[in-house]
Amino acid sequence: MSPHADPLLHKRVWWKEAAFYQIYPASFKDSNGDGWGDIPGILEKIAYIASLGVDAVWLSPMFDSPQVDMGYDISNYEAVYPPYGTVEDVEKLIEACHANDMKLILDLVVNHTSDQHAWFKESRSSKDNPKRDWYFWRPARYDEQGNRMPPTNWRGYFAGPTWTWDEHTQEYYLHLYDKSQPDLNWENADCRRAIYDSAMRFWLDKGVDGFRVDTVNKYSKYVEFPDAPITDPASIVQPAAQFWCNGPRIHKFIKEINSEVLSNYRTYDGQPVVTVGELSLTPDAEGVLRYVSARQKELDMVFQFDITHLGQGPPGSDSKYDFTEWKLPEMKRVVEKWQSFIEGTDGWTTVFCENHDNGRGVSRFANDTPEWREKSAKMLALCFAAQTGSLFLYQGQEIGMINAPKEWSMDEYKDVEAQNYWREAVRPSEDGTDPTRKERILHGLQLMARDHARLPFQWDSSVNGGFSTGKPWMRAHDLYKEINAEAQEKDADSVLSFYKRLFRLRKERKDVFVYGTFELLDPENLSTFVYKKQYQEKTALVALNFTTEPQPFPATEDMRLLLSSYSKTRPDSLQPLEGRIYINY
């Protein structure tokens, strides 16, 4: 019997069976022509979102912010970035989602704030300010020649050091990300209480149904701040995730979030509120399970990023965008690992292949040329929608949006990370120390940069794809006339229509698709990805062709075809970039 049949292990709750739809507010819909997407624009499209068949909306940061890191640098948790709208607009969005039987979750960004946040301004004002210890401040070190040096040699996520010198108080402050994003000191209990009040209770009291928790495993640092081992002799900064990821008190902090805040709230229809954590740099299943075991009362589920990191160097390293070609068996092993790790446990998992921090799935994992992009989008949709866990869809994925054209110059890339990596790549190419680095990093950014997901949503064939009547903050994709929601809503054979059909099937057959056990078949096949899903006596077989050539596929005599991404199938082969589902019930 499947371990998933044990209700003590996998108790059925709404968020396990839900399909979540992520909205990136800057790029979804601009209602007033200023070039920025906004909350009223989302409200205009609420019927569209509901028509997809999703159960919840995840709204990426809309809080007040200087926008150095697109809203992940928050200057006021209790206010909305004015181009996005107002707190009242968010309250209307909460009501609209609930009226359409959808829940709404917000981003919880509490590893760091903006340097423009009132807390940091106070902390920075003097060494004896009551909020000084709400952030990490440390004195300089000095080398043998008397040159000032940061407290550690840690390399940050966006390249460069994790410490910035403050002239006013003559100390350095810590920032794992951009220098405008100082890290909060979770060791300080007053700081934690302020976070719970301002970033969480303020919005939960307004009716939000939970949080996607940003950088959730970085709150606890090794506060002795040791130097990292030198793994890159050519650099003055070194990768140091072992000192600020999954730190010594991280589980205490997350348990406290639950006990102090989340356990006291319910969704609008009386269900438990949900948390999904962004859990990077945690490769072991045992380590992930510590966060998502129901008995531990920490997080409901997490995003584990092996799938989006295929071909990518380690996050935070100088090789992150130095792309390495990968083979299909590597993807299969990643999927198998994170589909199987919850079996026999009380943990849960997520299913996704796109978000705001990665290139588009069609361009990353399949084929985005005009001949194959629709077939690729449908095949990938089927691949992931049939997997066990909570399903997450990123805006534009449902219409098969693809990466920015390779002809675009780096000037079109807006993301702080992409621009930092690009500047870092130019130097060794020009000084001759690594002549091909510029070319390699350009290729990596063209595939994997965060900007690709942030291009404006393509609503129709009008100017800027119907996103805005003004000049968009980021250029609209050149192919908006060919790829847009309006055209696909009228086409029963479109990518959009296929996604809607998949979501219906997933709900109708949730036993096997949401809760079923996963078995990988033919793991070393370089062309096809075939897996089996089972729940008690119910079985589904999923077959996927990742190539642009037909692939042999034996008949399945004891099963019947439930769905194909092609309108007509062949009995003995999978057609190019075809996906199929067979069932025995």
Side-chain angles (χ1 to χ4, degrees):
M1 178 180 287
S2 161
H4 290 187
D6 184 348
L8 295 177
L9 292 180
H10 290 294
K11 181 180 178 182
R12 299 197 174 194
V13 291
W14 72 268
W15 45 263
K16 291 182 179 178
E17 300 168 9
F20 291 76
Y21 186 74
Q22 183 187 358
I23 291 178
Y24 197 71
S27 302
F28 191 65
K29 182 69 172 76
D30 172 20
S31 69
N32 60 8
D34 67 355
W36 283 86
D38 47 44
I39 310 300
I42 300 172
L43 285 163
E44 287 179 9
K45 296 296 184 180
I46 203 76
Y48 168 85
I49 299 166
S51 76
L52 299 175
V54 300
D55 307 281
V57 171
W58 155 23
L59 182 61
S60 290
M62 76 298 160
F63 313 99
D64 206 5
S65 165
Q67 299 293 329
V68 174
D69 187 23
M70 290 304 298
Y72 285 92
D73 49 324
I74 296 171
S75 55
N76 186 345
Y77 289 110
E78 300 173 28
V80 172
Y81 180 53
Y84 290 161
T86 64
V87 171
E88 290 73 24
D89 289 328
V90 178
E91 290 172 339
K92 292 175 184 176
L93 181 60
I94 295 169
E95 293 173 3
C97 286
H98 293 171
N100 283 276
D101 296 319
M102 298 184 296
K103 296 178 173 67
L104 178 69
I105 67 172
L106 302 182
D107 244 290
L108 181 63
V109 186
V110 290
N111 174 71
H112 49 264
T113 66
S114 165
D115 60 359
Q116 299 305 303
H117 196 291
W119 298 346
F120 186 71
K121 289 181 177 180
E122 286 189 52
S123 182
R124 195 176 205 169
S125 65
S126 69
K127 289 183 180 179
D128 58 0
N129 185 276
K131 290 187 175 63
R132 182 67 171 182
D133 192 45
W134 286 28
Y135 296 83
F136 293 100
W137 293 94
R138 292 296 183 273
R141 297 188 297 179
Y142 293 89
D143 64 17
E144 294 177 356
Q145 288 74 42
N147 297 309
R148 188 181 70 220
M149 297 170 56
T152 72
N153 64 348
W154 298 358
R155 175 189 171 90
Y157 257 88
F158 294 165
T162 59
W163 297 93
T164 288
W165 177 252
D166 178 59
E167 279 291 337
H168 179 63
T169 56
Q170 295 288 293
E171 284 191 325
Y172 284 91
Y173 64 87
L174 177 72
H175 52 90
L176 299 185
Y177 295 87
D178 188 74
K179 67 180 181 180
S180 67
Q181 295 167 285
D183 277 45
L184 287 159
N185 180 9
W186 276 71
E187 300 292 332
N188 184 298
D190 289 337
C191 178
R192 296 201 303 275
R193 282 191 286 269
I195 290 169
Y196 301 157
D197 283 342
S198 189
M200 299 183 72
R201 292 189 184 100
F202 179 85
W203 293 104
L204 288 164
D205 288 342
K206 294 185 181 300
V208 301
D209 302 293
F211 297 100
R212 176 266 188 183
V213 191
D214 186 61
T215 61
V216 72
N217 54 342
K218 299 182 177 66
Y219 307 158
S220 176
K221 280 82 170 173
Y222 283 84
V223 294
E224 302 84 4
F225 293 111
D227 265 346
I230 296 175
T231 55
D232 182 3
S235 177
I236 61 172
V237 290
Q238 305 297 321
Q242 67 269 34
F243 297 126
W244 42 255
C245 199
N246 302 314
R249 280 167 38 94
I250 189 63
H251 295 286
K252 176 188 182 299
F253 294 152
I254 299 176
K255 282 182 170 68
E256 186 177 278
I257 290 172
N258 258 308
S259 62
E260 292 291 318
V261 184
L262 295 170
S263 63
N264 299 309
Y265 288 89
R266 287 289 184 268
T267 65
Y268 77 99
D269 56 353
Q271 302 298 310
V273 295
V274 66
T275 53
V276 51
E278 180 191 27
L279 195 78
S280 63
L281 297 166
T282 309
D284 298 324
E286 183 179 342
V288 175
L289 192 60
R290 288 190 68 189
Y291 289 92
V292 298
S293 165
R295 292 176 179 87
Q296 294 300 316
K297 296 183 179 179
E298 293 190 21
L299 299 165
D300 293 319
M301 51 189 164
V302 297
F303 297 124
Q304 209 291 337
F305 296 99
D306 285 357
I307 193 73
T308 56
H309 289 169
L310 281 170
Q312 195 175 79
S317 74
D318 65 352
S319 60
K320 177 178 179 179
Y321 290 107
D322 204 342
F323 180 72
T324 302
E325 294 289 342
W326 54 273
K327 303 291 186 184
L328 187 58
E330 295 176 57
M331 174 187 273
K332 297 181 194 181
R333 286 192 289 272
V334 167
V335 172
E336 180 184 37
K337 178 179 180 179
W338 298 112
Q339 282 286 285
S340 303
F341 94 102
I342 61 170
E343 291 179 11
T345 77
D346 63 346
W348 197 242
T349 193
T350 56
V351 183
F352 70 101
C353 72
E354 287 192 24
N355 62 23
H356 62 291
D357 279 338
N358 293 279
R360 289 288 184 177
V362 172
S363 302
R364 285 288 315 279
F365 307 122
N367 191 313
D368 64 6
T369 59
E371 181 182 3
W372 300 114
R373 63 182 179 238
E374 287 189 14
K375 291 179 172 60
S376 293
K378 291 180 182 179
M379 184 272 290
L380 288 173
L382 191 150
C383 172
F384 289 94
Q387 292 178 25
T388 293
S390 301
L391 185 63
F392 285 78
L393 187 74
Y394 181 72
Q395 65 179 47
Q397 189 177 343
E398 76 275 18
I399 60 171
M401 284 180 64
I402 60 176
N403 279 358
K406 289 184 171 60
E407 295 76 23
W408 284 15
S409 76
M410 281 303 302
D411 292 339
E412 300 289 355
Y413 288 64
K414 307 299 183 187
D415 178 41
V416 60
E417 182 186 45
Q419 290 296 337
N420 284 357
Y421 270 88
W422 180 242
R423 282 193 294 270
E424 191 179 58
V426 169
R427 288 192 297 271
S429 291
E430 292 181 346
D431 66 19
T433 56
D434 188 353
T436 65
R437 182 167 174 77
K438 182 177 174 182
E439 179 183 342
R440 299 195 319 269
I441 298 302
L442 176 62
H443 176 58
L445 290 169
Q446 287 173 336
L447 273 177
M448 303 181 292
R450 306 196 302 178
D451 294 88
H452 298 299
R454 303 175 183 189
L455 269 61
F457 191 98
Q458 292 150 213
W459 289 105
D460 55 41
S461 60
S462 67
V463 63
N464 301 319
F467 163 72
S468 176
T469 56
K471 182 180 180 181
W473 75 275
M474 192 173 187
R475 178 177 170 181
H477 200 290
D478 296 350
L479 296 179
Y480 64 79
K481 291 184 179 180
E482 287 80 11
I483 306 172
N484 66 72
E486 182 182 62
Q488 293 191 26
E489 285 187 298
K490 301 172 183 175
D491 181 1
D493 195 37
S494 68
V495 175
L496 178 60
S497 297
F498 190 72
Y499 263 102
K500 291 179 180 180
R501 189 176 177 189
L502 270 174
F503 286 165
R504 288 195 298 271
L505 285 175
R506 184 175 166 87
K507 283 182 169 63
E508 291 166 3
R509 301 176 185 274
K510 63 186 176 184
D511 282 356
V512 71
F513 292 135
V514 176
Y515 294 103
T517 54
F518 178 95
E519 180 185 356
L520 179 63
L521 305 178
D522 198 8
E524 299 307 316
N525 190 307
L526 294 170
S527 303
T528 60
F529 185 172
V530 182
Y531 63 85
K532 186 182 291 186
K533 295 292 299 296
Q534 186 141 6
Y535 186 89
Q536 297 177 355
E537 304 306 317
K538 299 174 181 178
T539 303
L541 183 73
V542 180
L544 310 148
N545 180 2
F546 272 74
T547 76
T548 56
E549 300 291 336
Q551 298 296 329
F553 185 70
T556 52
E557 296 177 0
D558 58 335
M559 304 184 82
R560 67 181 178 86
L561 182 65
L562 177 67
L563 179 67
S564 169
S565 58
Y566 273 65
S567 55
K568 295 182 180 180
T569 60
R570 296 176 182 174
D572 58 348
S573 66
L574 290 170
Q575 295 168 90
L577 293 160
E578 181 184 7
R580 293 183 194 173
I581 301 177
Y582 293 88
I583 57 171
N584 73 341
Y585 65 101

